[in-house]
mmCIF file of all heavy atoms in Angstrom:
data_model
loop_
_atom_site.group_PDB
_atom_site.id
_atom_site.type_symbol
_atom_site.label_atom_id
_atom_site.label_comp_id
_atom_site.label_asym_id
_atom_site.label_seq_id
_atom_site.Cartn_x
_atom_site.Cartn_y
_atom_site.Cartn_z
ATOM 1 N N GLY A 220 100.458 129.529 132.264
ATOM 2 C CA GLY A 220 98.981 129.667 132.483
ATOM 3 C C GLY A 220 98.555 129.487 133.949
ATOM 4 O O GLY A 220 97.344 129.601 134.222
ATOM 5 N N HIS A 221 99.482 129.259 134.853
ATOM 6 C CA HIS A 221 99.127 128.919 136.233
ATOM 7 C C HIS A 221 98.352 130.060 136.895
ATOM 8 O O HIS A 221 97.450 129.820 137.701
ATOM 9 C CB HIS A 221 100.419 128.704 137.016
ATOM 10 C CG HIS A 221 100.173 128.377 138.437
ATOM 11 N ND1 HIS A 221 99.697 127.159 138.862
ATOM 12 C CD2 HIS A 221 100.305 129.098 139.593
ATOM 13 C CE1 HIS A 221 99.551 127.127 140.175
ATOM 14 N NE2 HIS A 221 99.958 128.307 140.639
ATOM 15 N N PHE A 222 98.616 131.319 136.559
ATOM 16 C CA PHE A 222 97.972 132.463 137.242
ATOM 17 C C PHE A 222 96.748 133.002 136.503
ATOM 18 O O PHE A 222 96.164 133.974 136.882
ATOM 19 C CB PHE A 222 98.973 133.589 137.447
ATOM 20 C CG PHE A 222 100.073 133.192 138.435
ATOM 21 C CD1 PHE A 222 101.373 133.069 137.955
ATOM 22 C CD2 PHE A 222 99.796 132.873 139.735
ATOM 23 C CE1 PHE A 222 102.422 132.683 138.840
ATOM 24 C CE2 PHE A 222 100.792 132.518 140.629
ATOM 25 C CZ PHE A 222 102.105 132.415 140.166
ATOM 26 N N ALA A 223 96.409 132.364 135.403
ATOM 27 C CA ALA A 223 95.232 132.822 134.608
ATOM 28 C C ALA A 223 94.011 132.842 135.488
ATOM 29 O O ALA A 223 93.640 131.874 136.169
ATOM 30 C CB ALA A 223 95.034 131.910 133.410
ATOM 31 N N GLY A 224 93.349 134.001 135.519
ATOM 32 C CA GLY A 224 92.114 134.142 136.259
ATOM 33 C C GLY A 224 92.233 134.233 137.780
ATOM 34 O O GLY A 224 91.251 134.202 138.516
ATOM 35 N N LYS A 225 93.456 134.342 138.305
ATOM 36 C CA LYS A 225 93.662 134.324 139.738
ATOM 37 C C LYS A 225 93.782 135.701 140.383
ATOM 38 O O LYS A 225 93.954 135.808 141.580
ATOM 39 C CB LYS A 225 94.875 133.481 140.113
ATOM 40 C CG LYS A 225 94.630 132.018 139.715
ATOM 41 C CD LYS A 225 95.600 131.083 140.350
ATOM 42 C CE LYS A 225 95.252 129.644 139.967
ATOM 43 N NZ LYS A 225 96.212 128.712 140.405
ATOM 44 N N GLY A 226 93.723 136.769 139.621
ATOM 45 C CA GLY A 226 93.680 138.125 140.201
ATOM 46 C C GLY A 226 95.111 138.582 140.601
ATOM 47 O O GLY A 226 96.110 137.937 140.320
ATOM 48 N N ASP A 227 95.126 139.750 141.285
ATOM 49 C CA ASP A 227 96.377 140.362 141.701
ATOM 50 C C ASP A 227 97.095 139.590 142.738
ATOM 51 O O ASP A 227 98.325 139.673 142.861
ATOM 52 C CB ASP A 227 96.113 141.777 142.238
ATOM 53 C CG ASP A 227 95.727 142.742 141.148
ATOM 54 O OD1 ASP A 227 96.012 142.470 139.974
ATOM 55 O OD2 ASP A 227 95.087 143.781 141.514
ATOM 56 N N TRP A 228 96.369 138.840 143.596
ATOM 57 C CA TRP A 228 96.995 138.120 144.737
ATOM 58 C C TRP A 228 96.592 136.693 144.646
ATOM 59 O O TRP A 228 95.474 136.272 144.998
ATOM 60 C CB TRP A 228 96.538 138.735 146.048
ATOM 61 C CG TRP A 228 96.746 140.227 146.097
ATOM 62 C CD1 TRP A 228 95.858 141.223 145.900
ATOM 63 C CD2 TRP A 228 98.028 140.856 146.312
ATOM 64 N NE1 TRP A 228 96.466 142.432 146.008
ATOM 65 C CE2 TRP A 228 97.805 142.280 146.267
ATOM 66 C CE3 TRP A 228 99.313 140.417 146.581
ATOM 67 C CZ2 TRP A 228 98.781 143.167 146.436
ATOM 68 C CZ3 TRP A 228 100.342 141.369 146.778
ATOM 69 C CH2 TRP A 228 100.083 142.717 146.702
ATOM 70 N N ALA A 229 97.502 135.822 144.180
ATOM 71 C CA ALA A 229 97.204 134.389 143.991
ATOM 72 C C ALA A 229 97.764 133.629 145.148
ATOM 73 O O ALA A 229 98.720 133.971 145.835
ATOM 74 C CB ALA A 229 97.863 133.931 142.712
ATOM 75 N N ASP A 230 97.144 132.425 145.360
ATOM 76 C CA ASP A 230 97.679 131.452 146.316
ATOM 77 C C ASP A 230 99.021 130.966 145.818
ATOM 78 O O ASP A 230 99.238 130.820 144.627
ATOM 79 C CB ASP A 230 96.736 130.263 146.505
ATOM 80 C CG ASP A 230 95.473 130.621 147.241
ATOM 81 O OD1 ASP A 230 95.576 131.367 148.236
ATOM 82 O OD2 ASP A 230 94.396 130.195 146.844
ATOM 83 N N PRO A 231 99.970 130.654 146.724
ATOM 84 C CA PRO A 231 101.286 130.172 146.332
ATOM 85 C C PRO A 231 101.316 128.709 145.911
ATOM 86 O O PRO A 231 102.376 128.274 145.442
ATOM 87 C CB PRO A 231 102.123 130.411 147.583
ATOM 88 C CG PRO A 231 101.169 130.348 148.716
ATOM 89 C CD PRO A 231 99.874 130.872 148.189
ATOM 90 N N ASP A 232 100.199 127.989 146.089
ATOM 91 C CA ASP A 232 100.214 126.573 145.634
ATOM 92 C C ASP A 232 100.586 126.478 144.178
ATOM 93 O O ASP A 232 100.067 127.158 143.345
ATOM 94 C CB ASP A 232 98.801 126.010 145.822
ATOM 95 C CG ASP A 232 98.402 125.847 147.260
ATOM 96 O OD1 ASP A 232 99.303 125.934 148.158
ATOM 97 O OD2 ASP A 232 97.196 125.790 147.559
ATOM 98 N N GLY A 233 101.548 125.603 143.915
ATOM 99 C CA GLY A 233 101.987 125.397 142.516
ATOM 100 C C GLY A 233 103.154 126.282 142.086
ATOM 101 O O GLY A 233 103.728 126.124 141.027
ATOM 102 N N VAL A 234 103.489 127.254 142.937
ATOM 103 C CA VAL A 234 104.634 128.118 142.624
ATOM 104 C C VAL A 234 105.919 127.339 142.882
ATOM 105 O O VAL A 234 106.068 126.743 143.956
ATOM 106 C CB VAL A 234 104.600 129.439 143.483
ATOM 107 C CG1 VAL A 234 105.894 130.225 143.357
ATOM 108 C CG2 VAL A 234 103.415 130.314 143.070
ATOM 109 N N LEU A 235 106.854 127.371 141.975
ATOM 110 C CA LEU A 235 108.116 126.632 142.178
ATOM 111 C C LEU A 235 109.217 127.443 142.765
ATOM 112 O O LEU A 235 110.083 126.947 143.466
ATOM 113 C CB LEU A 235 108.575 126.121 140.784
ATOM 114 C CG LEU A 235 107.593 125.259 139.983
ATOM 115 C CD1 LEU A 235 108.217 124.857 138.651
ATOM 116 C CD2 LEU A 235 107.140 124.098 140.818
ATOM 117 N N MET A 236 109.182 128.824 142.491
ATOM 118 C CA MET A 236 110.238 129.652 142.957
ATOM 119 C C MET A 236 109.764 131.107 143.068
ATOM 120 O O MET A 236 109.036 131.572 142.214
ATOM 121 C CB MET A 236 111.454 129.598 142.040
ATOM 122 C CG MET A 236 112.633 130.454 142.422
ATOM 123 S SD MET A 236 114.113 130.215 141.334
ATOM 124 C CE MET A 236 113.575 130.951 139.788
ATOM 125 N N ALA A 237 110.220 131.788 144.124
ATOM 126 C CA ALA A 237 109.983 133.253 144.258
ATOM 127 C C ALA A 237 111.403 133.886 144.079
ATOM 128 O O ALA A 237 112.404 133.278 144.559
ATOM 129 C CB ALA A 237 109.424 133.567 145.590
ATOM 130 N N VAL A 238 111.445 135.029 143.450
ATOM 131 C CA VAL A 238 112.724 135.746 143.182
ATOM 132 C C VAL A 238 112.617 137.159 143.721
ATOM 133 O O VAL A 238 111.607 137.812 143.554
ATOM 134 C CB VAL A 238 112.980 135.786 141.673
ATOM 135 C CG1 VAL A 238 114.249 136.594 141.386
ATOM 136 C CG2 VAL A 238 113.043 134.436 141.069
ATOM 137 N N GLU A 239 113.712 137.566 144.375
ATOM 138 C CA GLU A 239 113.868 138.986 144.760
ATOM 139 C C GLU A 239 115.214 139.460 144.298
ATOM 140 O O GLU A 239 116.191 138.716 144.320
ATOM 141 C CB GLU A 239 113.718 139.142 146.298
ATOM 142 C CG GLU A 239 112.387 138.771 146.869
ATOM 143 C CD GLU A 239 111.235 139.702 146.408
ATOM 144 O OE1 GLU A 239 111.491 140.760 145.893
ATOM 145 O OE2 GLU A 239 110.087 139.285 146.674
ATOM 146 N N ILE A 240 115.272 140.739 143.913
ATOM 147 C CA ILE A 240 116.484 141.375 143.495
ATOM 148 C C ILE A 240 116.613 142.559 144.414
ATOM 149 O O ILE A 240 115.682 143.439 144.468
ATOM 150 C CB ILE A 240 116.430 141.829 142.050
ATOM 151 C CG1 ILE A 240 116.145 140.637 141.136
ATOM 152 C CG2 ILE A 240 117.710 142.558 141.652
ATOM 153 C CD1 ILE A 240 115.688 140.997 139.739
ATOM 154 N N THR A 241 117.664 142.695 145.187
ATOM 155 C CA THR A 241 117.741 143.743 146.183
ATOM 156 C C THR A 241 117.697 145.125 145.558
ATOM 157 O O THR A 241 118.248 145.335 144.444
ATOM 158 C CB THR A 241 119.041 143.646 147.042
ATOM 159 O OG1 THR A 241 120.189 143.667 146.180
ATOM 160 C CG2 THR A 241 119.066 142.393 147.877
ATOM 161 N N SER A 242 117.045 146.019 146.266
ATOM 162 C CA SER A 242 116.989 147.397 145.886
ATOM 163 C C SER A 242 117.975 148.153 146.725
ATOM 164 O O SER A 242 118.433 147.687 147.777
ATOM 165 C CB SER A 242 115.564 147.971 146.177
ATOM 166 O OG SER A 242 114.586 147.251 145.479
ATOM 167 N N TYR A 243 118.268 149.386 146.324
ATOM 168 C CA TYR A 243 119.161 150.181 147.135
ATOM 169 C C TYR A 243 118.322 151.086 148.002
ATOM 170 O O TYR A 243 118.202 152.314 147.766
ATOM 171 C CB TYR A 243 120.135 150.952 146.224
ATOM 172 C CG TYR A 243 121.033 150.048 145.448
ATOM 173 C CD1 TYR A 243 120.954 149.920 144.064
ATOM 174 C CD2 TYR A 243 122.004 149.234 146.078
ATOM 175 C CE1 TYR A 243 121.762 149.101 143.354
ATOM 176 C CE2 TYR A 243 122.802 148.416 145.379
ATOM 177 C CZ TYR A 243 122.718 148.292 144.002
ATOM 178 O OH TYR A 243 123.549 147.487 143.285
ATOM 179 N N ASP A 244 117.707 150.522 149.017
ATOM 180 C CA ASP A 244 116.934 151.318 149.965
ATOM 181 C C ASP A 244 117.159 150.835 151.366
ATOM 182 O O ASP A 244 117.647 149.724 151.546
ATOM 183 C CB ASP A 244 115.432 151.374 149.564
ATOM 184 C CG ASP A 244 114.742 150.011 149.623
ATOM 185 O OD1 ASP A 244 114.873 149.299 150.632
ATOM 186 O OD2 ASP A 244 114.070 149.654 148.616
ATOM 187 N N ALA A 245 116.709 151.623 152.332
ATOM 188 C CA ALA A 245 116.958 151.292 153.724
ATOM 189 C C ALA A 245 116.275 150.023 154.204
ATOM 190 O O ALA A 245 116.726 149.377 155.167
ATOM 191 C CB ALA A 245 116.523 152.480 154.585
ATOM 192 N N ASP A 246 115.212 149.593 153.544
ATOM 193 C CA ASP A 246 114.421 148.436 154.040
ATOM 194 C C ASP A 246 114.844 147.110 153.397
ATOM 195 O O ASP A 246 114.302 146.048 153.729
ATOM 196 C CB ASP A 246 112.937 148.706 153.788
ATOM 197 C CG ASP A 246 112.058 147.815 154.677
ATOM 198 O OD1 ASP A 246 112.459 147.555 155.815
ATOM 199 O OD2 ASP A 246 111.000 147.423 154.227
ATOM 200 N N THR A 247 115.790 147.136 152.473
ATOM 201 C CA THR A 247 116.168 145.906 151.784
ATOM 202 C C THR A 247 116.589 144.799 152.742
ATOM 203 O O THR A 247 116.199 143.625 152.504
ATOM 204 C CB THR A 247 117.356 146.213 150.753
ATOM 205 O OG1 THR A 247 116.734 146.681 149.560
ATOM 206 C CG2 THR A 247 118.124 144.990 150.417
ATOM 207 N N HIS A 248 117.426 145.079 153.707
ATOM 208 C CA HIS A 248 117.873 144.012 154.599
ATOM 209 C C HIS A 248 116.720 143.284 155.208
ATOM 210 O O HIS A 248 116.631 142.054 155.118
ATOM 211 C CB HIS A 248 118.805 144.608 155.665
ATOM 212 C CG HIS A 248 119.231 143.564 156.643
ATOM 213 N ND1 HIS A 248 120.175 142.556 156.306
ATOM 214 C CD2 HIS A 248 118.888 143.270 157.925
ATOM 215 C CE1 HIS A 248 120.365 141.757 157.319
ATOM 216 N NE2 HIS A 248 119.604 142.145 158.320
ATOM 217 N N ASN A 249 115.829 143.975 155.879
ATOM 218 C CA ASN A 249 114.685 143.334 156.533
ATOM 219 C C ASN A 249 113.779 142.655 155.566
ATOM 220 O O ASN A 249 113.359 141.517 155.762
ATOM 221 C CB ASN A 249 113.880 144.319 157.408
ATOM 222 C CG ASN A 249 114.568 144.614 158.726
ATOM 223 O OD1 ASN A 249 115.333 143.805 159.207
ATOM 224 N ND2 ASN A 249 114.315 145.779 159.258
ATOM 225 N N ARG A 250 113.444 143.372 154.449
ATOM 226 C CA ARG A 250 112.466 142.869 153.536
ATOM 227 C C ARG A 250 112.959 141.620 152.743
ATOM 228 O O ARG A 250 112.311 140.593 152.768
ATOM 229 C CB ARG A 250 112.083 143.980 152.568
ATOM 230 C CG ARG A 250 111.053 143.635 151.521
ATOM 231 C CD ARG A 250 110.743 144.782 150.589
ATOM 232 N NE ARG A 250 111.950 145.110 149.803
ATOM 233 C CZ ARG A 250 112.469 146.346 149.852
ATOM 234 N NH1 ARG A 250 112.011 147.323 150.577
ATOM 235 N NH2 ARG A 250 113.563 146.575 149.118
ATOM 236 N N ASP A 251 114.078 141.747 152.101
ATOM 237 C CA ASP A 251 114.532 140.716 151.176
ATOM 238 C C ASP A 251 115.352 139.568 151.818
ATOM 239 O O ASP A 251 115.375 138.482 151.339
ATOM 240 C CB ASP A 251 115.403 141.332 150.038
ATOM 241 C CG ASP A 251 114.550 142.237 149.145
ATOM 242 O OD1 ASP A 251 113.342 142.061 149.102
ATOM 243 O OD2 ASP A 251 115.131 143.110 148.534
ATOM 244 N N ARG A 252 116.047 139.908 152.910
ATOM 245 C CA ARG A 252 116.905 138.917 153.571
ATOM 246 C C ARG A 252 116.322 138.206 154.767
ATOM 247 O O ARG A 252 116.754 137.155 155.179
ATOM 248 C CB ARG A 252 118.249 139.573 153.961
ATOM 249 C CG ARG A 252 119.014 140.110 152.802
ATOM 250 C CD ARG A 252 120.369 140.702 153.225
ATOM 251 N NE ARG A 252 121.005 141.402 152.083
ATOM 252 C CZ ARG A 252 121.242 142.673 152.055
ATOM 253 N NH1 ARG A 252 120.974 143.453 153.092
ATOM 254 N NH2 ARG A 252 121.815 143.217 150.997
ATOM 255 N N ILE A 253 115.274 138.819 155.408
ATOM 256 C CA ILE A 253 114.704 138.260 156.631
ATOM 257 C C ILE A 253 113.206 137.936 156.423
ATOM 258 O O ILE A 253 112.771 136.792 156.515
ATOM 259 C CB ILE A 253 114.915 139.199 157.832
ATOM 260 C CG1 ILE A 253 116.416 139.397 158.091
ATOM 261 C CG2 ILE A 253 114.190 138.674 159.021
ATOM 262 C CD1 ILE A 253 116.724 140.451 159.086
ATOM 263 N N GLU A 254 112.352 138.972 156.132
ATOM 264 C CA GLU A 254 110.932 138.804 156.143
ATOM 265 C C GLU A 254 110.463 137.919 154.976
ATOM 266 O O GLU A 254 109.632 137.026 155.167
ATOM 267 C CB GLU A 254 110.250 140.175 156.105
ATOM 268 C CG GLU A 254 110.479 140.963 157.381
ATOM 269 C CD GLU A 254 109.930 142.410 157.275
ATOM 270 O OE1 GLU A 254 109.562 142.833 156.172
ATOM 271 O OE2 GLU A 254 109.924 143.047 158.303
ATOM 272 N N LYS A 255 110.891 138.267 153.784
ATOM 273 C CA LYS A 255 110.371 137.490 152.658
ATOM 274 C C LYS A 255 110.827 136.029 152.616
ATOM 275 O O LYS A 255 110.004 135.145 152.323
ATOM 276 C CB LYS A 255 110.717 138.213 151.332
ATOM 277 C CG LYS A 255 109.811 139.417 151.101
ATOM 278 C CD LYS A 255 109.922 139.949 149.729
ATOM 279 C CE LYS A 255 108.896 141.010 149.467
ATOM 280 N NZ LYS A 255 108.960 141.568 148.122
ATOM 281 N N PRO A 256 112.087 135.723 152.919
ATOM 282 C CA PRO A 256 112.390 134.276 152.958
ATOM 283 C C PRO A 256 111.541 133.534 153.950
ATOM 284 O O PRO A 256 111.103 132.419 153.672
ATOM 285 C CB PRO A 256 113.898 134.276 153.401
ATOM 286 C CG PRO A 256 114.434 135.617 153.108
ATOM 287 C CD PRO A 256 113.247 136.536 153.140
#
Side-chain angles (χ1 to χ4, degrees):
H221 181 75
F222 295 113
K225 296 197 177 174
D227 290 339
W228 306 101
D230 287 319
D232 294 340
V234 170
L235 305 180
M236 178 174 72
V238 177
E239 296 293 348
I240 303 163
T241 57
S242 303
Y243 296 113
D244 63 50
D246 200 34
T247 276
H248 177 72
N249 283 334
R250 182 182 61 240
D251 295 336
R252 297 183 189 117
I253 298 170
E254 294 172 352
K255 284 192 172 182

